Amino acid sequence: QQQVKQSPQSLIVQKGGISIINCAYENTAFDYFPWYQQFPGKGPALLIAIRPDVSEKKEGRFTISFNKSAKQFSLHIMDSQPGDSATYFCAASDSGAGSYQLTFGKGTKLSVIP
Amino acid sequence: KAGVTQTPRYLIKTRGQQVTLSCSPISGHRSVSWYQQTPGQGLQFLFEYFSETQRNKGNFPGRFSGRQFSNSRSEMNVSTLELGDSALYLCASSTYPSGTGELFFGEGSRLTVL
């Protein structure tokens, strides 16, 4: 059972454009929603994260939008740059479970073309 | 501050063999978790350790095992290797239980089973 569904699988965006990646979750106990960025040959690194008490969080060009009732959250990358080309994973965890175990989406490969 | 260190970075084994992977967490981090990353299944949780105790285990067969030492270093072992075990094995450390939920990943050990 895939508890976090991520789309699209791949995304091509022109430099300066907006990249949007969507995720949906099933487990209502999830209360921590991070996005990780992974470059080839590297491990994933935290990009930005949100908790359900806010509907949006912005850090620089990266914004998470969160819709608790729809059980959906999304990553927006403004003014996308070639250096943003990477694979992005959404994830979720249940802090009440006494664990930092993350359930990941299957990833979105973003290519930003000049 | 040094990041999460995983060894070896690459290894090739044949079916039926066993393998041991090692992980040194960020200094001061007492929690270590392991994930398997494959193109088809994405990132899947294997286990989580804190203070030498396994706190959580993912849905993997008993051939997959792990342990954590008193210095927080961790090892995972896969016995009787199968072709399907070919994957990138990622170790992550965290400041559980006092952190934000962020996992800090190493660059992984890429296992190829022939």
Side-chain angles (χ1 to χ4, degrees):
Chain A
Q1 182 189 8
Q2 185 187 354
Q3 294 193 51
V4 178
K5 293 184 179 179
Q6 183 173 345
S7 63
Q9 199 171 1
S10 62
L11 183 60
I12 300 174
V13 173
Q14 288 240 305
K15 179 182 174 182
I18 303 174
S19 304
I20 301 174
I21 305 171
N22 300 299
C23 284
Y25 63 96
E26 298 167 8
N27 187 348
T28 54
F30 286 152
D31 60 357
Y32 174 67
F33 302 90
W35 286 88
Y36 278 78
Q37 180 188 55
Q38 185 177 30
F39 293 103
K42 301 293 185 181
L46 180 67
L47 189 62
I48 186 173
I50 197 169
R51 294 195 182 271
D53 52 343
V54 296
S55 59
E56 186 175 282
K57 183 175 181 180
K58 184 176 181 180
E59 289 184 1
R61 297 183 294 108
F62 301 91
T63 300
I64 298 179
S65 297
F66 184 79
N67 185 329
K68 188 174 181 179
S69 60
K71 293 188 287 186
Q72 294 175 346
F73 58 111
S74 60
L75 176 69
H76 292 63
I77 305 174
M78 312 299 288
D79 186 28
S80 298
Q81 299 296 313
D84 297 331
S85 297
T87 300
Y88 293 81
F89 295 92
C90 62
S93 70
D94 170 13
S95 60
S99 167
Y100 284 5
Q101 176 187 343
L102 290 174
T103 299
F104 284 90
K106 292 204 170 184
T108 297
K109 186 173 182 180
L110 172 65
S111 299
V112 182
I113 54 177
Chain B
K1 204 174 196 181
V4 176
T5 303
Q6 292 189 244
T7 56
R9 290 291 314 279
Y10 303 92
L11 65 166
I12 300 174
K13 294 286 186 179
T14 57
R15 279 180 297 174
Q17 288 186 311
Q18 73 165 13
V19 66
T20 299
L21 309 177
S22 179
C23 172
S24 293
I26 292 172
S27 177
H29 288 193
R30 295 165 58 199
S31 179
V32 171
S33 50
W34 290 87
Y35 288 79
Q36 181 195 64
Q37 184 175 21
T38 60
Q41 297 300 315
L43 284 146
Q44 292 188 291
F45 171 75
L46 281 158
F47 352 83
E48 182 180 32
Y49 289 89
F50 174 71
S51 291
E52 302 178 67
T53 301
Q54 186 180 90
R55 294 188 52 80
N56 216 349
K57 187 178 188 329
N59 189 24
F60 278 83
R63 299 184 297 107
F64 292 81
S65 63
R67 58 178 175 169
Q68 186 181 32
F69 302 97
S70 59
N71 61 359
S72 296
R73 194 176 67 83
S74 177
E75 288 181 349
M76 69 163 283
N77 184 276
V78 187
S79 63
T80 319
L81 284 165
E82 301 178 358
L83 294 178
D85 297 333
S86 294
L88 181 67
Y89 290 88
L90 291 160
C91 170
S93 71
S94 75
T95 58
Y96 176 90
S98 58
T100 60
E102 180 177 0
L103 297 185
F104 297 82
F105 284 89
E107 295 190 333
S109 292
R110 183 165 295 281
L111 171 65
T112 302
V113 182
L114 302 176

